Amino acid sequence: VIPSTVRGFAVTEIAEAAFRNSTRTESVEIPESVGVIGAQAFEYCAQLKSVTFPDDGNCAIGNQAFHGCSKLSSVVLPKSVKSIGTEAFCACTELEAVYILGDIEVINGRAFSSCPKLKTVIMPDSLKDIDWFAFYECSSLENVVIPESVQSIGNSAFKGCTNLNSIVLPKELQKIFLGAFDECTNLKNVNYMGSERDRLAIQIFADNQCLEN
């Protein structure tokens, strides 16, 4: 448990690389006082199995903060979490479920890429952009519902999700960038929630052949 105060002073930040490569950290509870989890703060914590975020507060997860935490199996990001950094949970090879419950507008680049066991992803209604390579090579993903609020899906966002067989695309979607669904060899069911006229107005860049029909 990370304390909320030390010697009478509030703990407001977990420093960059503070616990990086720790072999003794098995669980972490983030106190409400923490506003920033620094870049690489828990990177390569090979024994880390659980992270608990507070329901209240304002917390930003830094770049690569939990990168390579190979025993982390699920992540619940409540309303206290306001942003997810680049590669924040990249290469968490045992990660199976992600629940994003806060008012997050962007899933940044490679945030959950190379998580081969990831099967369940719940995204918030506040989400506007799924950035580049966000779920790259999440080869266990089978079904994805993109929230109605999403306007763009970035380069290679779901590239290499070889078991992805169905996806629901929202009416508000404006752009699907280069290779967003490249190498999704099992994608058979693409359901668009808008009209045919709206669908034709979406900018779909190259290497998204599975969306053509």
Side-chain angles (χ1 to χ4, degrees):
V1 177
I2 295 172
S4 58
T5 60
V6 174
R7 296 178 181 177
F9 294 95
V11 175
T12 60
E13 181 175 352
I14 299 173
E16 182 175 325
F19 297 93
R20 189 176 189 269
N21 289 320
S22 171
T23 57
R24 295 184 297 176
T25 305
E26 295 186 3
S27 65
V28 173
E29 291 185 25
I30 307 296
E32 186 179 327
S33 60
V34 170
V36 176
I37 299 174
Q40 303 175 348
F42 296 95
E43 186 177 36
Y44 300 129
C45 287
Q47 301 303 315
L48 184 61
K49 297 177 182 178
S50 69
V51 179
T52 304
F53 295 87
D55 290 330
D56 299 315
N58 292 282
C59 184
I61 299 175
N63 297 344
Q64 301 176 326
F66 296 95
H67 176 255
C69 292
S70 56
K71 289 193 176 180
L72 196 60
S73 61
S74 67
V75 173
V76 178
L77 303 179
K79 291 189 176 182
S80 62
V81 176
K82 302 303 182 184
S83 63
I84 305 169
T86 300
E87 296 187 359
F89 294 93
C90 176
C92 291
T93 52
E94 294 295 317
L95 188 62
E96 295 183 0
V98 173
Y99 302 91
I100 305 173
L101 308 178
D103 297 327
I104 287 172
E105 294 189 355
V106 180
I107 296 177
N108 278 306
R110 294 189 181 272
F112 299 100
S113 70
S114 301
C115 295
K117 293 188 178 181
L118 185 61
K119 293 181 180 180
T120 302
V121 177
I122 303 299
M123 294 178 267
D125 292 336
S126 57
L127 191 65
K128 293 182 179 179
D129 299 308
I130 300 173
D131 217 341
W132 46 274
F133 289 89
F135 295 98
Y136 172 66
E137 289 190 340
C138 291
S139 54
S140 292
L141 269 182
E142 294 182 0
N143 307 294
V144 174
V145 177
I146 307 293
E148 293 182 8
S149 53
V150 169
Q151 298 174 7
S152 71
I153 300 175
N155 293 354
S156 303
F158 292 93
K159 181 177 180 178
C161 293
T162 52
N163 278 308
L164 186 64
N165 60 57
S166 72
I167 191 162
V168 177
L169 300 175
K171 179 181 178 181
E172 297 299 318
L173 189 61
Q174 298 172 13
K175 294 181 180 181
I176 300 175
F177 285 95
L178 181 69
F181 295 96
D182 192 21
E183 298 178 14
C184 293
T185 50
N186 283 305
L187 185 56
K188 306 298 182 185
N189 300 304
V190 179
N191 298 303
Y192 175 61
M193 303 308 292
S195 66
E196 179 66 12
R197 181 179 178 181
D198 292 333
R199 185 186 70 82
L200 293 172
I202 299 173
Q203 287 184 270
I204 302 178
F205 292 76
D207 296 329
N208 286 298
Q209 289 89 345
C210 59
L211 303 180
E212 290 179 358
N213 297 320

